[in-house]
Amino acid sequence: AELRAALPALGGLVLCAGIDGAPETRTAQGNELHMGVNHLGHMLLAAELTGLLRRHPTPARVLSVTSSAALDAAPQFFDDLGWQKNKYDRRQAYCVSKACNVLFADHLAVREGGRVLAAAVDPGPTVTQIVRYELPQRAQQRQGMSTEQLARQAKQLGYRTPDQAGDVVASLLGERAAPEFTSGGLYLGVLSPPGQPGPLITEPIPWRTPARAAKVWENSA
């Protein structure tokens, strides 16, 4: 509400909050934690700001930050996003939530019809606090690391630094990226050098269909 009151328009929105590897936990609204943080929260924020995005003089861009883990999402879990029927699997909970990031961007691009552009982007594996559930000691270590130390760890692991991941996202928001930006696209950074946007993925993915994107949107609204 404060943003809507303070800004005449919004030219870009990055949806990037995320967790991984959490034990089965419910949000205050009763949603499975990965789904609540990684997907539903993003969708709610985008819905609240869509009016500002539409008012921008040129088509605004929405980037839904996903992960290459989305490729491992098992199709059978899309009919149980709340994990009410299936035995809980924290890995699949993460993978499916990141697949929902892709499906959200796909359907938003269709719904907006060019008024707002949307794409999913994977910056590649990054040395962040997302490991705090699965590798708490490493997460604690990273809290006290300098930029130089993080860069060394990223190089050792073949990962990206937070700055490199941020550069990928920023490059797709800037006007210079206009010829390369495909609304409804998926850019997979794990396939590119650190700091560079990944290639546009055009190969079919079993769970990535317009029908499923529409259904996930409907079930999440």
Side-chain angles (χ1 to χ4, degrees), residues 24-136:
E24 185 171 11
T25 310
R26 299 282 160 181
T27 67
Q29 296 77 26
N31 300 303
E32 188 276 324
L33 189 60
H34 292 90
M35 191 60 56
V37 174
N38 298 354
H39 167 59
L40 296 174
H42 293 192
M43 190 169 174
L44 178 60
L45 179 60
E48 290 291 321
L49 298 178
T50 295
L52 287 177
L53 294 164
R54 288 173 177 167
R55 288 200 289 272
H56 197 262
T58 58
R61 296 179 181 183
V62 175
L63 291 183
S64 180
V65 178
T66 185
S67 164
S68 58
L71 301 178
D72 295 328
Q76 67 265 28
F77 294 117
F78 285 92
D79 291 327
D80 185 25
L81 297 181
W83 291 90
Q84 302 287 351
K85 303 173 184 176
N86 290 287
K87 182 179 179 181
Y88 188 70
D89 181 323
R90 66 175 73 188
R91 173 61 179 171
Q92 278 298 313
Y94 177 68
C95 294
V96 171
S97 72
K98 300 314 287 181
C100 284
N101 295 152
V102 179
L103 296 171
F104 164 77
D106 286 351
H107 198 62
L108 180 62
V110 171
R111 283 172 62 95
E112 290 301 312
R115 293 178 299 177
V116 175
L117 309 180
V121 55
D122 159 43
T126 306
V127 287
T128 67
Q129 292 294 309
I130 201 167
V131 297
R132 63 186 177 273
Y133 287 107
E134 293 190 300
L135 299 170

